[in-house]
Amino acid sequence: MAGSGTAHLRGEEALLSVRDLVVEYPTKGGVVQAVSKVSFDVLPGETLGIVGESGCGKSTTGRAVLRLDRLTAGQIDFAGERIDEASGKRMRELRRSIQMIFQDPVASLNPRRSVKDIVVEGLAVTGAPAAERASTSSSILEQVGLGSERFADMMPRQLSGGQAQRVAIGRALALHPQLLICDEPVSALDVSVQAQILNLIEELKAQFNLTVVFIAHDLGVVRAVSDDVLVMYLGKVCEFGDADMVYDQPAHPYTRALLDSVPLTDAERGFTGPALEGDLPSPLSPPTGCRFRTRCPRAEERCAAEEPQIQEIRPGQYAACHFPLSLGATVTLAPAAEEPAAEATPEGTAEAAAVPAAVPAEPVTAAEPVTAVEPVAAVETSAEPLAKPAAAEKPSPVDEPAPVEKAVPVEKAVPVEKAVPATAAATAAVAEKSGPTDEAAATTAEKPADTGTGSPAAESEAVTAPVVPVAAEVPAKPAAPAEEAVPAEDLVPGETAVVPTETAETETAAVPAEATAATMAAEPAAAATAAAEPTKSAPAK
């Protein structure tokens, strides 16, 4: 939250000290408050980086130090001398010790002069002899990387952006200044040239013992070259402190927002954090109280009523905020990692382990084979004749008569849904092998045989049990040629259906032991009846 104050100033040892600087521009629409009570200082041999959005007053502050723009209010001290009170003549003398590198290098160069004359333009103003200017020009061009003879006679329009910026740096260094103000010197250059210019400034700083004020909006560039950082917003100071501390642990919400808005090389994530929302308010009518409150996520009523003052958050770091981040939150420059899963507690682990025991997964079981409790379904009559399986081995010890196809008369067609007990099918099979009469076979088919339990409940259970299709349990085998069954729709009313004998014989294998014993006990009586009455064969259709 942008505010005012001088708590971060370090006293008389500073080479440059600015206190409550105010720069305003009267216009027809009102007064533009470009800089409002900005204070900072720079120690000898130090590099101060000034960062902020476009329109925050960075460049205006740098130009005001050289008095290139008219000061509205404030105090500027350089090497113990008041710049704001100096006369025009004295100010021209002081500018030999304070030089500036401008944002647009080509526009800052005289288009009618050659490179060798532009570099020593300052010496010509001071009245230096021609021999001194020539030697100085050659030496400076060599130091800034333009030592070739072909650059000396070039015009500014023939230079690239990086070459023009090198000429501007050489012109500033030709007067051997103490303070160098760089107003976004690499913003118009590509990345490779930026690195060259930044390295050149660092080398010249060490060689000439320079004190640098580096103004830029590129946070990465400012951190690379700065010892201390000053963050500005809408003409106010937000935060000041050591560069590493400000970048790693920002105390002001605006500083945090700037760092989160830096694009990342990861295309999927895009940015370190959420981008700053909203637009910069107009300097013609800035917000009351804190100027950042209209875009601050931590703003409260106090921010609108009271302007915050710069206060020390931790040793070497200052911020103008009623609710600095260090008091209520811990933030770092690194992007936030994904939230890890909650650690499992012993109770939670026990509950998780008990879940499978309490609710076991139901296993998938295959279809069960036909048993006594699951009777065999009646053979459905369909348009297509059923395939007759091969005759199974008969468990009965009675001698088997000659294989004769027996017709079992059925008074009523058995519904598909109704199940025929397995014991009935077994009894019918034995009776057919022994030669039963039509009446005995019909009686046997209508009345299920005794299963040995003698309980009506057992019969009810057998009838109501789920129907299991025979085809699912007894796979069909290649059948011998035999008489085909007559489809149901072709039957004449009153005519009986022919049930293949092999089907009943095949199902005999699923009859339980109790049913088999009862059937074998009934076989002598069935045999006697067969001997007394002649065998009737079903008319072939």
Side-chain angles (χ1 to χ4, degrees), residues 1 6 17 65 76 79 95 139 180 186 197 211 262 284 320 323 369 384 393 405 468 494 502 534:
M1 299 174 181
T6 58
S17 178
V65 171
I76 303 176
R95 287 188 183 124
S139 174
L180 183 63
V186 296
I197 299 300
T211 301
V262 176
L284 292 171
F323 310 101
E384 298 180 359
E393 185 178 355
E405 192 68 34
V468 179
E502 287 78 7

Side-chain angles (χ1 to χ4, degrees), residues 454-524:
S455 173
E459 298 179 2
S460 175
E461 180 181 359
V463 174
T464 59
V467 178
V468 179
V470 178
E473 303 300 332
V474 183
K477 299 180 180 179
E483 184 178 357
E484 296 181 355
V486 180
E489 55 267 28
D490 297 337
L491 292 178
V492 180
E495 191 176 11
T496 59
V498 178
V499 179
T501 306
E502 287 78 7
T503 303
E505 293 175 356
T506 305
E507 302 301 334
T508 307
V511 179
E514 297 86 354
T516 304
T519 305
M520 294 176 61
E523 287 178 356

Side-chain angles (χ1 to χ4, degrees), residues 141-297:
L141 290 177
E142 185 73 26
Q143 291 175 348
V144 297
L146 300 177
S148 177
E149 292 294 335
R150 67 186 184 91
F151 289 108
D153 296 327
M154 280 187 175
M155 305 300 287
R157 64 178 180 273
Q158 298 175 303
L159 302 175
S160 65
Q163 293 170 351
Q165 194 64 281
R166 290 174 182 268
V167 174
I169 295 174
R171 181 182 59 181
L173 298 178
L175 297 174
H176 300 284
Q178 293 179 273
L179 177 65
L180 183 63
I181 300 177
C182 304
D183 184 15
E184 303 195 26
V186 296
S187 62
L189 307 178
D190 57 51
V191 178
S192 60
V193 179
Q194 283 185 12
Q196 297 174 8
I197 299 300
L198 293 176
N199 292 334
L200 177 62
I201 293 176
E202 287 296 313
E203 294 174 0
L204 297 177
K205 174 187 173 182
Q207 181 178 352
F208 292 95
N209 193 23
L210 295 174
T211 301
V212 180
V213 175
F214 196 94
I215 301 172
H217 57 264
D218 191 331
L219 299 176
V221 171
V222 171
R223 184 174 188 177
V225 302
S226 301
D227 300 312
D228 294 327
V229 174
L230 178 74
V231 183
M232 293 184 61
Y233 178 82
L234 200 60
K236 292 283 188 178
V237 175
C238 293
E239 187 168 354
F240 174 84
D242 179 75
D244 293 335
M245 188 177 297
V246 170
Y247 276 74
D248 294 341
Q249 294 182 334
H252 198 283
Y254 178 63
T255 308
R256 176 75 270 173
L258 287 179
L259 295 174
D260 289 343
S261 301
V262 176
L264 299 176
T265 55
D266 186 356
E268 296 182 357
R269 298 187 57 190
F271 297 91
T272 304
L276 187 62
E277 298 180 356
D279 297 328
L280 193 70
S282 173
L284 292 171
S285 180
T288 61
C290 173
R291 296 192 177 184
F292 184 60
R293 64 178 177 83
T294 57
R295 305 170 70 187
C296 180

Side-chain angles (χ1 to χ4, degrees), residues 4-91:
S4 305
T6 58
H8 57 295
L9 299 183
R10 290 165 288 188
E12 298 180 355
E13 61 182 4
L15 176 64
L16 174 67
S17 178
V18 178
R19 292 174 178 265
D20 298 330
L21 178 64
V22 178
V23 179
E24 298 177 349
Y25 303 104
T27 63
K28 295 181 180 180
V31 178
V32 177
Q33 303 179 30
V35 179
S36 300
K37 295 186 177 182
V38 170
S39 300
F40 64 91
D41 58 9
V42 187
L43 300 180
E46 186 180 64
T47 299
L48 173 66
I50 302 179
V51 298
E53 293 179 271
S54 297
C56 69
K58 306 184 301 295
S59 298
T60 302
T61 301
R63 293 174 62 88
V65 171
L66 282 170
R67 284 182 56 180
L68 298 179
D69 289 336
R70 184 179 59 86
L71 277 65
T72 303
Q75 177 180 338
I76 303 176
D77 294 331
F78 174 74
E81 184 175 353
R82 292 282 298 269
I83 293 180
D84 57 291
E85 295 179 350
S87 63
K89 182 180 179 180
R90 178 56 183 164
M91 194 65 225

Side-chain angles (χ1 to χ4, degrees), residues 400-406 433 502:
E400 182 179 355
V404 179
E405 192 68 34
K406 301 296 182 180
K433 298 302 178 182
E502 287 78 7

